[in-house]
Amino acid sequence: MKEIKTIEFKDDILYLIDQRKLPITYEIFQCETYKEVDFAIKDMVVRGAPAIGATAAYGVVLAAKEFLNNSKDEFFKNMEEALDLLNKSRPTAVNLMWAIRRMRNLIEENKELSVNDIYEKIRIEADNIFNEDIQTNKQMGKHGNEVIPEKATILTHCNTGALATAGFGTALGVVREAFYTGKDIFVYADETRPRLQGGRLTAWELRQEEIPSKLIADNVAATLIRDGKIDVILVGADRIALNGDTANKIGTFMLSVVAKAYNVPFYIVAPTTTIDFDIETGEEIEIEERGSEEVTHIENVRIAPEGMDVFNPAFDVTPSENITGIITEKGIVRPPYRENILKLK
Ligand SMILES: CSC[C@H]1O[C@H](OP(=O)(O)O)[C@H](O)[C@@H]1O
């Protein structure tokens, strides 16, 4: 299995694979300040709920490093500004807020220590978040493999691989686990307009490991489902409500409707860090709207008329009644979702 170093923190520099450039070029984006990390998340140099969380955690490390020579009062004030900026870098993936809250709690719990000692704890905690995510994903892969038949055709949406996490992936991690445990699988990957995470990133990951697969335009999926060509659909998540409603990349909801109509199993694969235990339903999830150029241009080439207005929500919400199960590192959650999700807390 090829190691994909989506995120690497070394000698006080955060190295990110620049996912805006893949698969045409493999470039590394370096962050030396927390403001550069904020930019990297906003501009989707790095993307994917768990990857965003881990990246933000290292952004907190860079902030603490920057303020090491502050007085304690200045340190806490400057750190709060940094935490607040990073927390707002993208609104939908709850892993970001979870990571920032974990760092904020750590600082609060250790405020009697010296600035330097607090920095050391922050540094260790960021590595913990990073390493925990990799272990979580591998555990999810094992649980998810339980629902993959020995011979199966799998449909994926967006990118849920190593590039969306600290490593291995969520839904694509289940694909990896099935592939490397010898199952006869085939993957159809939705290209996933407008940012093409499937066509650029998932396709790149699948080719890296020569996993049998084909890339499809998003509009092809419904026909494959109708014609009985898909055995199971695996998608990721950015925020899951207590009732199981799930926010994920735009186009996921549409897939779930077609899957339900033709009785194809539709699984969310997500770590428990993607569950928002503070919200009851998907109606409470903020859906990020991104710039119009993501829709009017492809690789900076205009494809829509000048002046055309655009609606570009980056996510949608799949209602829990369309979801067969939620594959987490703690096992597969099935309905009744609220009762069973609360057991994960
Ligand atoms: C494993 S989480 C991946 C999740 O994040 C993606 O969104 P984005 O590429 O905008 O960060 C998409 O919703 C994926 O399912």
Side-chain angles (χ1 to χ4, degrees):
M1 191 179 307
K2 290 196 175 180
E3 187 184 18
I4 297 172
K5 287 189 176 180
T6 305
I7 305 163
E8 187 177 19
F9 191 80
K10 198 170 50 176
D11 304 329
D12 295 328
I13 296 175
L14 181 62
Y15 299 90
L16 303 169
I17 295 177
D18 191 337
Q19 299 187 39
R20 302 170 300 178
K21 310 289 188 178
L22 283 178
I24 309 306
T25 59
Y26 182 96
E27 298 179 30
I28 298 297
F29 185 93
Q30 294 188 15
C31 300
E32 296 185 42
T33 69
Y34 76 91
K35 289 181 179 175
E36 288 172 342
V37 171
D38 175 56
F39 170 81
I41 293 172
K42 281 190 172 80
D43 207 55
M44 296 175 68
V45 169
V46 61
R47 31 62 51 200
I52 290 171
T55 299
Y58 282 119
V60 177
V61 176
L62 290 172
K65 177 80 177 171
E66 185 177 332
F67 305 133
L68 263 186
N69 297 321
N70 285 177
S71 69
K72 282 192 83 172
D73 287 348
E74 285 171 336
F75 178 81
F76 292 136
K77 174 179 171 298
N78 289 328
M79 285 306 292
E80 190 48 40
E81 279 180 26
L83 287 162
D84 189 49
L85 181 73
L86 290 166
N87 198 56
K88 291 188 291 193
S89 50
R90 285 186 76 188
T92 305
V94 71
N95 307 61
L96 170 63
M97 296 80 184
W98 168 84
I100 294 297
R101 184 165 57 245
R102 184 161 156 180
M103 287 304 206
R104 187 176 269 125
N105 292 344
L106 182 75
I107 293 168
E108 179 61 28
E109 288 156 13
N110 292 281
K111 60 186 179 185
E112 300 309 314
L113 299 181
S114 70
V115 167
N116 203 67
D117 287 348
I118 295 172
Y119 165 72
E120 289 303 325
K121 284 189 174 292
I122 289 171
R123 174 76 180 77
I124 292 165
E125 191 72 342
D127 285 343
N128 291 341
I129 289 173
F130 179 86
N131 293 317
E132 285 166 18
D133 186 56
I134 295 174
Q135 294 316 309
T136 292
N137 296 335
K138 290 181 176 174
Q139 194 57 34
M140 266 190 304
K142 289 178 171 34
H143 288 307
N145 200 20
E146 293 164 16
V147 306
I148 307 297
E150 283 303 318
K151 180 174 175 54
T153 301
I154 301 165
L155 174 68
T156 69
H157 191 67
C158 197
N159 173 255
T160 57
L163 290 170
T165 65
F168 195 73
T170 58
L172 206 61
V174 174
V175 168
R176 282 194 166 94
E177 183 69 16
F179 180 69
Y180 286 107
T181 54
K183 290 186 177 175
D184 179 6
I185 64 159
F186 186 90
V187 179
Y188 282 107
D190 272 356
E191 66 171 351
T192 316
R193 284 266 306 153
R195 289 297 296 260
L196 304 174
Q197 291 92 327
R200 297 185 301 107
L201 307 178
T202 299
W204 181 78
E205 291 198 47
L206 291 167
R207 291 303 307 138
Q208 288 285 306
E209 296 172 50
E210 297 180 354
I211 296 174
S213 48
K214 282 185 179 178
L215 175 62
I216 58 172
D218 299 326
N219 303 331
V220 175
T223 301
L224 288 173
I225 294 168
R226 180 202 64 191
D227 293 349
K229 298 287 189 356
I230 305 296
D231 297 304
V232 59
I233 300 172
L234 302 176
V235 299
D238 293 82
R239 193 179 295 241
I240 301 169
L242 280 178
N243 74 341
D245 291 352
T246 297
N248 193 52
K249 183 52 50 196
I250 190 74
T252 304
F253 166 53
M254 193 162 57
L255 273 186
S256 78
V257 171
V258 179
K260 187 169 185 176
Y262 291 94
N263 300 311
V264 172
F266 183 93
Y267 286 97
I268 303 289
V269 186
T272 51
T273 49
T274 306
I275 297 171
D276 185 344
F277 290 96
D278 295 330
I279 61 170
E280 290 290 341
T281 75
E283 288 180 10
E284 300 170 70
I285 299 175
E286 182 182 348
I287 299 298
E288 177 186 14
E289 283 191 42
R290 295 186 64 88
S292 59
E293 72 289 343
E294 292 188 351
V295 179
T296 59
H297 291 67
I298 291 183
E299 295 301 320
N300 298 317
V301 175
R302 174 175 287 281
I303 57 166
E306 291 272 359
M308 187 69 201
D309 286 340
V310 169
F311 175 45
N312 181 22
F315 302 96
D316 57 27
V317 175
T318 296
S320 59
E321 59 265 28
N322 290 2
I323 298 171
T324 308
I326 301 172
I327 298 166
T328 76
E329 71 279 16
K330 296 181 179 176
I332 301 175
V333 182
R334 296 184 187 275
Y337 282 119
R338 190 175 195 284
E339 178 185 330
N340 290 328
I341 285 175
L342 281 172
K343 291 173 187 170
L344 301 177
K345 195 166 185 176

